[in-house]
Amino acid sequence: MKNLFASVLWALILCFAALPGVSQAQQSNAGGVWIQVAARPSLSEAQEEARDFAARLPDVSGYALGGGWYGIVIGPYARPDAEQVLRVYRAEGQIPRDSFITFTSNLRTRFYPVGAESEGTAPVPLAGSEVEAAPAEDAASDVTPDVAVADETPAQARQSERALTREERMDLQIALKAAGFYNSGIDGAFGRGTRASMSDWQVARGYEATGVLTTGQRKALMDEYNAPLISTGMASYTDEAAGISLDLPLNEVAFSRYEPPFAHFESSGDLGARVLLISQPGDRRTLYGLYDIMQTLAIMPLEGPRERTGDRFTLEGRDSKVVTYAEARLIDGEIKGFTLVWPTGDEARRTRVLAAMQESFTRLDNVLDPAAGMDDAQSIDLVSGLEIRKPRLSRSGFFVSGDGVVVTTADVVNSCGSITVDRDVTAEVLLSDSEAGIAVLKPTEALAPMATAPLASTAPRLRSALAVSGYSYGGVLGAPSLTWGALSDLKGLQGEDYLARLELAAQPGDAGGPLLDKDGTVHGMLLPVVTDGPTLPEGVRFALKGEVIRMALEKAGVGLPATEASTTGEMPLSLLQKEATGLTTLVSCWD
């Protein structure tokens, strides 16, 4: 179906090209562009990939790009047609997501197709250039570059160059540096190093090596450098309500709605990019609160650098799907910034888009009203219209050492992208014993828990009252709850001496929580309900005994908890609740 659609699309484009007065040559010479789908450092690799693309798509060509690289392109097209084909082929998965629009001036000698198979499909070369097909197995050094007619003499080029501003000269140096031809400072001074890099670029692009770029060559260089921005439609955008002006990739995002403190720009292209403008009144406490909230959002992956200093913050998160960057700054009682969400695997364009947004960001008068939208439907799972990030699985756990080592269930650490304790602190697995059902975790940054578990050295009496301290509903209530029950037996149903059987109406999130008596002593850890065995009567639960927890800690190299079990008798319920809250933590598994 995809190939059929591609064929129909191509037929429509060919019909357009066949209209009177609109030849393919005219389209190319009047600004014809190409879609670059791949680049390879080896001619043989490039030829093989070109043949692979040509087996699936029409009008595939291969060109030397200079610097030892070979590109596979599709085209040429008129610019609007190229943008449409790019969108369709990306959406169908026919070409990589990082494919982009490129220009004839970036292409040198064609290496694919060659001979008879190129008849009728060869793209129009630059005026005055000679296109020679490279032998299929020639080495890179044997490729003869195209030579384009200069649009100015060297004297005319120097004269037009003198009219450039310092910023324009610096832009040329930046573009040469990005292309790999210049490695000195960006100062706008065209000294020997800059001239040499210009000469090298001219040779690589098939021009006469004069060391002075003509007007046309300067445009070609900047078009080449700005191709990632051009392909995303970067253009200036002003939001009067938010009081922000900046460049945005308007081919990929479009304004959707205001939900303070955000102006939402949803995806309008095939990349899946998103943008949030941040605008709200406030002080440093407001800024820091926003910093904390944004780390809980589903659009902000867990892995990545975070920085909060003074009156600003930056956040970056990466996973297998997206790269998200956010920044905000407090100035004169107004917090303004932006968030860019971009697909993983398109780093070159993301970096350029982000840099353009940062460079162009301008604060204007006005700020979003935080009271706006108060009548809209609200949800505990949303913040200003954005979904809060949710873990794949949450359990309870408890602290066993002063630096924050945690004991929990083994099922919560299986196949996780990352594990957190204390809500947002990443932890590593020291031990996971799926047979016993226990895991030992160590936070990546030292914690100072309010309490640690005093493990019992003797078993409790049968029928004695015990309570599990756990995050019954996955942390929704904000603090652990105590659920009381009774000890039914000191072994499992099959006689397992490392288990204790309980009469306890616990919730799934309570699993992993400590089992306490009225003295505050920890006698074990509640295990999750087994789903692949016999269905047990309501209220029958099992716990791992204290001695098994001690053995697991020793095996993990943690040693025994320093906290001694209480011998002072029953605690008041309020004090017991406080003690249980201090030693219980939420453990979450994230994809």
Side-chain angles (χ1 to χ4, degrees):
M1 179 62 72
K2 289 182 178 179
N3 287 334
L4 175 60
F5 185 82
S7 300
V8 172
L9 173 65
W10 184 244
L12 290 173
I13 292 173
L14 288 180
C15 288
F16 173 77
L19 291 176
V22 190
S23 69
Q24 184 169 312
Q26 286 173 318
Q27 291 181 53
S28 180
N29 292 336
V33 295
W34 309 74
I35 299 171
Q36 183 169 317
V37 296
R40 296 291 176 259
S42 153
L43 180 59
S44 59
E45 287 181 74
Q47 288 171 329
E48 182 178 350
E49 188 145 13
R51 285 191 289 268
D52 180 62
F53 273 107
R56 297 181 284 112
L57 299 173
D59 291 313
V60 173
S61 298
Y63 273 80
L65 302 177
W69 285 83
Y70 300 86
I72 296 92
V73 297
I74 306 172
Y77 308 110
R79 180 57 183 268
D81 296 334
E83 292 174 349
Q84 175 65 11
V85 173
L86 182 65
R87 281 192 294 269
V88 172
Y89 281 175
R90 274 188 189 156
E92 290 184 337
Q94 299 270 29
I95 60 177
R97 291 181 66 85
D98 59 355
S99 302
F100 60 91
I101 289 175
T102 190
F103 304 91
T104 302
S105 58
N106 297 333
L107 308 179
R108 295 174 60 194
T109 299
R110 188 180 64 202
F111 64 83
Y112 182 89
V114 294
E117 65 179 276
S118 67
E119 292 178 7
T121 63
V124 179
L126 288 172
S129 65
E130 294 294 333
V131 179
E132 299 177 5
E137 302 300 327
D138 277 359
S141 59
D142 295 332
V143 177
T144 303
D146 299 333
V147 179
V149 172
D151 57 334
E152 295 173 334
T153 66
Q156 291 170 330
R158 285 187 181 275
Q159 184 176 359
S160 64
E161 185 182 80
R162 284 195 286 271
L164 298 176
T165 66
R166 181 171 182 269
E167 288 70 22
E168 288 171 333
R169 288 168 169 261
M170 292 172 66
D171 287 343
L172 289 170
Q173 289 177 322
I174 292 170
L176 287 166
K177 193 166 193 173
F181 295 95
Y182 182 66
N183 56 12
S184 299
I186 307 300
D187 54 12
F190 288 175
R192 293 172 62 183
T194 304
R195 293 298 180 195
S197 70
M198 289 179 176
S199 180
D200 291 342
W201 181 87
Q202 287 172 320
V203 171
R205 298 298 181 260
Y207 298 107
E208 180 185 356
T210 65
V212 181
L213 301 182
T214 67
T215 299
Q217 291 166 6
R218 292 195 294 268
K219 182 180 183 303
L221 171 60
M222 294 311 300
D223 281 348
E224 176 184 324
Y225 174 65
N226 289 319
L229 301 182
I230 294 171
S231 67
T232 60
M234 288 298 288
S236 179
Y237 184 93
T238 298
D239 190 315
E240 298 287 355
I244 292 173
S245 177
L246 78 170
D247 291 348
L248 289 178
L250 296 179
N251 282 356
E252 299 297 335
V253 299
F255 175 77
S256 171
R257 65 195 183 280
Y258 293 114
E259 291 194 66
F262 304 123
H264 292 256
F265 290 75
E266 300 294 347
S267 174
S268 61
D270 61 296
L271 281 180
R274 297 172 65 184
V275 169
L276 303 173
L277 300 187
I278 301 169
S279 175
Q280 70 175 134
D283 53 19
R284 187 173 288 185
R285 289 180 59 187
T286 313
L287 178 74
Y288 288 2
L290 179 63
Y291 172 79
D292 292 335
I293 288 172
M294 293 203 68
Q295 295 185 70
T296 70
L297 300 178
I299 61 170
M300 182 62 70
L302 285 169
E303 297 299 320
R306 276 93 164 120
E307 183 179 7
R308 190 191 70 180
T309 56
D311 291 334
R312 68 184 299 270
F313 71 73
T314 60
L315 293 165
E316 185 176 298
R318 294 173 176 266
D319 62 19
S320 61
K321 297 180 180 179
V322 299
V323 181
T324 300
Y325 173 87
E327 66 175 50
R329 183 185 295 271
L330 170 65
I331 299 177
D332 296 332
E334 294 182 345
I335 298 167
K336 294 186 179 182
F338 68 87
T339 300
L340 174 65
V341 184
W342 203 264
T344 298
D346 193 16
E347 189 65 10
R349 281 198 298 178
R350 186 196 75 87
T351 301
R352 290 294 310 281
V353 168
L354 176 59
M357 292 175 66
Q358 290 173 316
E359 184 178 354
S360 62
F361 189 88
T362 305
R363 303 170 75 101
L364 308 175
D365 293 337
N366 217 352
V367 68
L368 292 182
D369 180 2
M374 292 296 287
D375 296 332
D376 295 343
Q378 299 182 56
S379 169
I380 194 171
D381 296 326
L382 299 176
V383 172
S384 298
L386 294 171
E387 183 180 353
I388 295 174
R389 185 176 60 248
K390 295 179 182 178
R392 175 158 58 85
L393 179 65
S394 286
R395 297 294 194 203
S396 299
F398 54 96
F399 294 110
V400 294
S401 71
D403 59 355
V405 172
V406 171
V407 169
T408 188
T409 61
D411 67 330
V412 78
V413 304
N414 293 333
S415 304
C416 299
S418 62
I419 302 164
T420 58
V421 299
D422 201 26
R423 295 193 178 272
D424 59 359
V425 178
T426 305
E428 59 181 358
V429 180
L430 296 182
L431 172 83
S432 179
D433 186 337
S434 57
E435 185 175 351
I438 187 172
V440 181
L441 310 178
K442 182 179 181 180
T444 54
E445 56 185 81
L447 297 177
M450 291 186 293
T452 55
L455 288 178
S457 55
T458 58
R461 296 178 62 84
L462 288 175
R463 308 306 306 168
S464 61
L466 296 173
V468 62
S469 175
Y471 286 86
S472 305
Y473 303 98
V476 171
L477 298 179
S481 306
L482 280 179
T483 304
W484 288 93
L487 178 64
S488 299
D489 202 341
L490 290 172
K491 58 183 179 297
L493 294 176
Q494 302 296 326
E496 300 93 336
D497 58 4
Y498 60 90
L499 296 178
R501 179 161 57 90
L502 308 167
E503 294 176 11
L504 186 70
Q507 300 297 322
D510 291 321
L515 202 64
L516 303 101
D517 63 16
K518 293 183 177 180
D519 299 340
T521 302
V522 175
H523 288 276
M525 178 191 75
L526 185 69
L527 292 171
V529 174
V530 177
T531 57
D532 58 354
T535 302
L536 299 177
E538 188 74 22
V540 175
R541 298 296 295 268
F542 294 94
L544 204 60
K545 289 182 179 179
E547 60 253 37
V548 182
I549 297 173
R550 289 175 180 271
M551 292 170 59
L553 292 174
E554 290 178 352
K555 188 175 180 180
V558 177
L560 299 179
T563 309
E564 296 294 332
S566 173
T567 57
T568 58
E570 292 187 15
M571 289 184 180
L573 185 59
S574 60
L575 184 58
L576 181 61
Q577 178 71 63
K578 181 179 179 181
E579 186 75 8
T581 298
L583 65 87
T584 309
T585 187
L586 183 67
V587 181
S588 297
C589 168
W590 305 88
D591 289 327

